[in-house]
Amino acid sequence: MFIELDLQSETPLYEQLINQLIEGIASGALKPGDPLPSVRNLAENLGINLHTVNKSYTLLKQEGFLQVHRKKGVIVQPDAMPGVTAEFEAKLFRQLRSLAAEAAVRGMTEEAFVNRCKRLYEDTTMKRGGDGQ
Amino acid sequence: MMMNGTLIAATSLYFIQALLISAQNFFGPRTLLFGVSVPATETQDLAVRRIRVQYIFLMGIIVLVMAAACFSLIRYLGNAHALVYFLIALLLQFPLSGIAIAICRQSALRLNATRGWQVPIENRRSAIISSRRFRSPVLGLPWFGAHLAVIVVCVVIALVKWNDIPVYFAIHRNADRMPDWYSWYSTKSISSVFYENFGQLIGTGLFMLLNLIAARIRTSLDPNDPDGSLQKQIQYKRINSFVIWGISLGLTVFLGLFQAGRIYSFKLDLWINLTFALMLTAYLLLLGMLVYSRAKGLDQLRDFSSQENHHWKMTGTFYCNPDDPAIFVPKPYGMGWTVNIAKPMGRLTISAIVGIPLLFLVWVWLLSK
């Protein structure tokens, strides 16, 4: 699986990295127990600061998406992934609410909005069980 | 006067090395002119090509002047003395080619200023996150078992032949073939007999380290073709690793042969011929790597994180970017890597590269006192 960061994006680099790693897990490109590059290795390959990668890994570890293994280093959570927590519900509500409001203002119908959400969810999870590429 | 055969071998080696150094000019991304970014549409521009030719012209003058000076000096000298000058001429090629590069880089920078090239910087970065499909791009440590096997064979032969080794022999001789500053080591002992084996071990260790560095070099992927550039990076690293392994194995075998020649009967001409053979093999291997990499387009890979000109110091020799965690980065021209001097480990590496040979020279000087 490849990740791509945009240095000019308004989204902070650590957040772009978090989003792409979660997308990788959701699509099945990253499977439970898969090893991830070390902080130094990934930062060197991307040419970005070590602290940026470290921040992403730390946040994902705190959330329960990653685990630090004594021998394998950083790995994708091999056990159960974090469930739908109250914090996640709040985040989902906050982000969807503002998007729904903007969609309504821009004249998008409720049906179109729901369909887009549904298709995105399906696309993200469609590759589950793939070969990781 | 040097013997004809030796002179031909020495001259061939001198010009092959010059060819290898000059050929580097044509190695590397076409969009980089001595480290200066050139728009893809301008790579075949007459002024750009003229600067590349300028380098060949400068190198040609340097090589021929040095060859003429060297030849006039060694005309009436014996083999060993002549070889000292020859060795100096071989080593001088490197700093003098640096001067030629500096001149051409200045020309490239002037051309850049005149034309006002605005080469867009790639602001996307790509990396592989899952390594399940890819094995290590460099040769593994077991490959260096071949070196250890050669060392073991050398040691075993010396042990078996222990009684045949003369009680007195010189470890090193000067150009007059007289034992020099190592003369007190001339008595048969563990350190004098196994002298080269220590050298073999140190050399193997250093090349293993080099191989490890080759593995650790940043894998900079092209965001427009991450998979294709990844395959090329892996192939390029593997070729580098194979060349490192091949040259180090040749050196280990050479030291073993030198040891055998030294502890039984010292034959200077045999040693000279062996050195020529080893250096020639190494150069041909490097030249083969250049040609193969060029043919496969492996030299066109760019390091996207170090593409900005202002990060390159001292005519593009050193990279200085505190925001880049990489310690080793590809050189902006030619083959090989350079260090990021903004990092403490990079500065330490440079200090070691410069300091260790200096310490060695001081040690030799102290021994000779």
Side-chain angles (χ1 to χ4, degrees):
Chain A
M1 176 200 162
F2 295 102
I3 51 163
E4 188 184 302
L5 304 184
D6 185 352
L7 306 187
Q8 297 293 306
S9 168
E10 286 175 6
T11 313
L13 289 175
Y14 81 91
E15 209 175 307
Q16 290 184 47
L17 189 54
I18 287 175
N19 291 341
Q20 293 200 32
L21 286 170
I22 291 176
E23 278 176 33
I25 296 169
S27 69
L30 290 173
K31 296 192 187 310
D34 269 0
L36 294 184
S38 66
V39 171
R40 170 165 284 282
N41 185 259
L42 187 56
E44 277 187 17
N45 286 344
L46 290 167
I48 59 172
N49 202 298
L50 288 171
H51 299 299
T52 307
V53 178
N54 195 34
K55 188 174 181 182
S56 306
Y57 276 12
T58 305
L59 288 172
L60 285 168
K61 198 181 80 178
Q62 283 170 358
E63 288 280 334
F65 292 104
L66 301 182
Q67 200 182 73
V68 179
H69 195 272
R70 207 184 302 162
K71 285 181 182 171
K72 294 180 187 169
V74 182
I75 58 171
V76 178
Q77 179 62 263
D79 308 319
M81 283 290 168
V84 179
T85 58
E87 287 84 12
F88 173 71
E89 288 268 24
K91 182 179 152 189
L92 184 75
F93 180 78
R94 197 171 55 246
Q95 291 184 353
L96 269 181
R97 186 189 169 96
S98 59
L99 284 172
E102 191 174 340
V105 172
R106 287 177 183 274
M108 187 181 258
T109 62
E110 182 188 339
E111 193 186 359
F113 183 77
V114 171
N115 278 341
R116 287 285 163 87
C117 289
K118 195 166 173 276
R119 200 181 301 161
L120 261 178
Y121 188 90
E122 284 167 359
D123 283 350
T124 311
T125 54
M126 203 168 60
K127 292 176 195 161
R128 254 183 214 279
D131 68 349
Q133 289 301 303
Chain B
M1 181 69 182
M2 287 175 90
M3 288 181 303
N4 279 343
T6 312
L7 185 67
I8 292 167
T11 313
S12 313
L13 205 59
Y14 176 83
F15 284 108
I16 287 175
Q17 182 178 291
L19 178 73
L20 190 65
I21 294 173
S22 306
Q24 283 195 71
N25 175 40
F26 296 98
F27 186 83
R30 290 181 191 87
T31 50
L32 278 178
L33 182 65
F34 295 96
V36 177
S37 294
V38 176
T41 50
E42 306 266 340
T43 54
Q44 292 304 314
D45 185 88
L46 192 64
V48 172
R49 285 161 70 182
R50 198 175 289 150
I51 292 172
R52 291 196 194 279
V53 172
Q54 181 192 9
Y55 176 74
I56 297 295
F57 185 68
L58 283 171
M59 274 305 288
I61 292 173
I62 289 169
V63 166
L64 288 176
V65 167
M66 268 208 306
C70 194
F71 188 72
S72 62
L73 276 170
I74 67 170
R75 275 179 75 187
Y76 305 107
L77 296 177
N79 257 1
H81 280 105
L83 283 171
V84 174
Y85 286 99
F86 162 71
L87 194 67
I88 292 170
L90 268 186
L91 291 174
L92 272 177
Q93 281 187 5
F94 293 99
L96 290 175
S97 80
I99 292 172
I101 285 172
I103 293 169
C104 295
R105 184 175 160 85
Q106 285 306 314
S107 303
L109 285 169
R110 274 197 300 273
L111 184 67
N112 186 22
T114 313
R115 299 280 175 92
W117 287 329
Q118 296 292 329
V119 182
I121 302 287
E122 179 57 78
N123 282 312
R124 290 174 301 157
R125 297 280 186 273
S126 198
I128 184 159
I129 201 86
S130 164
S131 55
R132 269 185 296 135
R133 272 181 55 191
F134 304 102
R135 57 195 170 97
S136 172
V138 299
L139 300 177
L141 284 183
W143 280 79
F144 287 87
H147 299 58
L148 293 179
V150 171
I151 298 169
V152 168
V153 167
C154 293
V155 171
V156 168
I157 289 174
L159 286 174
V160 170
K161 294 266 187 183
W162 185 264
N163 292 330
D164 298 334
I165 299 170
V167 177
Y168 297 104
F169 59 87
I171 244 183
H172 190 273
R173 288 166 196 259
N174 63 23
D176 296 320
R177 303 189 183 204
M178 297 297 289
D180 54 13
W181 37 268
Y182 275 121
S183 51
W184 62 90
Y185 259 133
S186 299
T187 319
K188 184 163 78 175
S189 66
I190 298 283
S191 56
S192 63
V193 169
F194 299 109
Y195 179 69
E196 283 81 3
N197 304 125
F198 294 117
Q200 285 173 320
L201 279 173
I202 292 169
T204 304
L206 286 176
F207 277 99
M208 280 165 83
L209 189 67
L210 198 60
N211 190 52
L212 197 69
I213 290 172
R216 287 289 310 275
I217 294 292
R218 168 177 30 233
T219 308
S220 183
L221 302 183
D222 183 351
N224 297 316
D225 179 22
D227 204 13
S229 56
L230 176 68
Q231 297 305 332
K232 283 187 175 176
Q233 288 266 4
I234 290 171
Q235 213 180 342
Y236 185 57
K237 283 187 180 183
R238 200 162 284 161
I239 293 167
N240 272 291
S241 176
F242 184 75
V243 170
I244 290 167
W245 180 84
I247 291 175
S248 58
L249 185 61
L251 184 69
T252 310
V253 172
F254 163 75
L255 282 174
L257 290 171
F258 183 55
Q259 178 188 30
R262 183 177 59 81
I263 58 180
Y264 304 118
S265 61
F266 186 82
K267 289 191 177 69
L268 182 69
D269 295 332
L270 174 71
W271 180 78
I272 291 169
N273 292 334
L274 273 175
T275 310
F276 282 146
L278 175 82
M279 289 182 77
L280 198 63
T281 311
Y283 286 164
L284 289 177
L285 209 56
L286 284 171
L287 205 57
M289 188 186 94
L290 279 181
V291 172
Y292 181 82
S293 303
R294 185 73 179 173
K296 294 279 180 185
L298 304 180
D299 65 329
Q300 297 305 308
L301 301 164
R302 281 206 65 174
D303 185 55
F304 291 95
S305 304
S306 60
Q307 56 191 328
E308 289 172 81
N309 277 338
H310 66 269
H311 290 315
W312 292 94
K313 309 290 177 197
M314 291 178 72
T315 67
T317 311
F318 295 117
Y319 177 62
C320 183
N321 184 0
D323 296 327
D324 189 344
I327 296 161
F328 298 98
V329 292
K331 279 164 62 183
Y333 44 78
M335 59 179 179
W337 310 287
T338 186
V339 293
N340 184 358
I341 54 169
K343 296 279 152 190
M345 190 55 89
R347 290 194 291 271
L348 190 70
T349 308
I350 286 292
S351 308
I353 290 169
V354 177
I356 290 172
L358 276 179
L359 279 177
F360 180 74
L361 286 175
V362 170
W363 180 60
V364 167
W365 179 73
L366 287 174
L367 281 176
S368 65
K369 293 291 276 184

